[in-house]
Amino acid sequence: MGLNIPLLNSCCCLSIRTGALIIAGLQLLLFTFYLFTMLIIIIQFTLLEKYMTFDDLIKNIIMEYVDACNVVFAVFLIIGIIKENSGFVAAYLLVELTRLIELIWSLVLNSFMYFHFGYFIEELLVIGFELICAWIGYSYYSTMPKTNKYIF
């Protein structure tokens, strides 16, 4: 009794493996860009404002651990695809599922607190992109040979 999600045979006229690699590379690029942008903004804000202490800077940087984890799991997906290790791809899929749940929950909560049409559309686009990434990753995972290897 598994999921009855229709699987993709190809991704943009390419094999599902190549599509999953493209998605992994795109996510790695986007998450890395976002992580470094947020770190630069935090450091600039700290340098420009006199009231923020070094402890506040460290706390704000530590709060970006989720973005660092996103980068790590995008690398996991790339490694899992290249080495055909189903453990890495399964770990990526679990993180992708939690990211989707968090995005949907955040959208619902923020829509109840204040409704801004631009934010709503932006979040729906992000959720759509994450759904497509998860669908491609799951389609690749279901077609790859399963190994009993652990991630580490």
Side-chain angles (χ1 to χ4, degrees):
M1 179 163 173
L3 296 174
N4 291 327
I5 298 174
L7 300 178
L8 298 172
N9 295 328
S10 64
C11 177
C12 300
C13 300
L14 301 170
S15 70
I16 194 67
R17 183 178 191 272
T18 306
L21 270 173
I22 290 171
I23 288 296
L26 184 61
Q27 280 191 337
L28 179 65
L29 179 73
L30 291 174
F31 290 142
T32 305
F33 177 73
Y34 181 75
L35 175 66
F36 285 123
T37 302
M38 289 307 296
L39 290 176
I40 288 171
I41 288 171
I42 289 170
I43 291 171
Q44 283 180 344
F45 183 75
T46 303
L47 293 176
L48 293 176
E49 301 294 325
K50 302 293 183 202
Y51 63 86
M52 185 176 274
T53 63
F54 183 73
D55 294 337
D56 294 334
L57 172 67
I58 297 300
K59 288 176 189 174
N60 287 336
I61 289 175
I62 290 174
M63 290 302 291
E64 295 299 318
Y65 73 94
V66 172
D67 299 323
C69 289
N70 288 336
V71 171
V72 168
F73 281 102
V75 170
F76 273 13
L77 180 60
I78 292 173
I79 293 171
I81 293 170
I82 291 173
K83 292 188 175 187
E84 292 187 358
N85 188 336
S86 62
F88 282 89
V89 180
Y92 165 80
L93 287 174
L94 289 173
V95 169
E96 192 72 23
L97 179 65
T98 57
R99 190 179 310 130
L100 275 169
I101 291 169
E102 187 270 330
L103 283 171
I104 293 169
W105 183 247
S106 174
L107 178 66
V108 168
L109 287 180
N110 287 330
S111 295
F112 281 130
M113 284 194 245
Y114 59 92
F115 184 79
H116 187 267
F117 191 71
Y119 172 79
F120 190 75
I121 297 298
E122 178 185 337
E123 286 298 309
L124 285 178
L125 289 173
V126 170
I127 289 170
F129 176 72
E130 292 293 328
L131 275 172
I132 291 171
C133 292
W135 191 18
I136 291 171
Y138 180 72
S139 295
Y140 176 70
Y141 176 75
S142 64
T143 59
M144 73 183 301
K146 305 299 183 277
T147 59
N148 291 331
K149 299 177 188 175
Y150 295 102
I151 294 175
F152 297 109

